[in-house]
Amino acid sequence: MFEPVDIAVKRLDHAGDIPLPSYETSGSAGMDVRAAEALTIAPGQRGLAATGFAFAIPTGYEIQVRPRSGLALKSGISIPNTPGTIDSDYRGELKVILINHGEEDFVIGRGDRIAQIVVAPVQRGNLKEVDRLDETARGSGGFGSTGV
C-alpha cells in the first residue's frame, strides 16, 4: 500500500462551510468534491462550477478530475474533458467543467457533490524524433482494427 501524499489546500473566501474534498468510504479511490455555488445547466450545455478550494500539489503528482457515476447514470451529467488534469504548478481555484447529456435542466445546489478527484503520480517522457519506428503486428491499424 502506498503512503498518502500530503497536499496543501487553501479554502477560498466563497467556500464558507463547504467541506474539504473527502473519501466517502475506506475503499474510495476518489475524493468527492462539492460545488461552492448554485448553477443550472440546460440540456446539451456546459457549465463551470467553482469548488472554493485551491491546491498545492507536490511535483511528480497531478489531481485528476473525474465524473461521479451516480450523476452520469441518473442525470446524464459528465465532465467533457475527463479526466481533467490539475497540474502540480497550478495554484488557482479548482473549477469543474460539467456537461448535461440529459433531457432536463440540471440544478446544482451549493454543497452538492459534483465530481471526484484522484491523486495520481505523473511519469514524464522524453520524445526522440526518429526517421522510422519499429514494426509491430498491429502496425498503423487504427480505430477498430484489432477486431469487432
Side-chain angles (χ1 to χ4, degrees):
M1 175 119 188
F2 296 104
E3 291 297 317
V5 175
D6 290 334
I7 300 173
V9 181
K10 180 179 179 181
R11 180 182 298 274
L12 304 176
D13 290 342
H14 60 283
D17 60 349
I18 299 292
L20 285 173
S22 63
Y23 298 102
E24 296 296 316
T25 69
S26 62
S28 295
M31 292 180 258
D32 282 353
V33 75
R34 298 171 185 270
E37 61 187 351
L39 179 68
T40 299
I41 306 171
Q45 299 300 304
R46 295 173 303 278
L48 186 63
T51 67
F53 295 102
F55 301 86
I57 304 162
T59 300
Y61 291 89
E62 67 169 324
I63 287 180
Q64 297 178 357
V65 183
R66 300 180 183 183
R68 295 191 66 240
S69 58
L71 288 181
L73 176 63
K74 295 174 187 170
S75 303
I77 302 303
S78 192
I79 297 175
N81 64 321
T82 191
T85 294
I86 308 302
D87 295 308
S88 64
D89 58 351
Y90 176 67
R91 294 295 183 270
E93 180 177 12
L94 169 62
K95 293 186 178 185
V96 179
I97 304 167
L98 297 168
I99 188 166
N100 184 351
H101 292 297
E103 298 174 1
E104 299 176 6
D105 283 357
F106 183 72
V107 177
I108 299 167
R110 180 177 164 79
D112 287 354
R113 294 182 296 167
I114 56 169
Q116 57 183 325
I117 56 175
V118 175
V119 178
V122 172
Q123 176 66 54
R124 296 192 71 170
N126 292 318
L127 299 181
K128 297 181 180 183
E129 190 169 355
V130 297
D131 293 327
R132 267 178 36 131
L133 299 175
D134 60 319
E135 298 291 326
T136 66
R138 180 176 180 179
S140 62
F143 298 101
S145 66
T146 59
V148 179

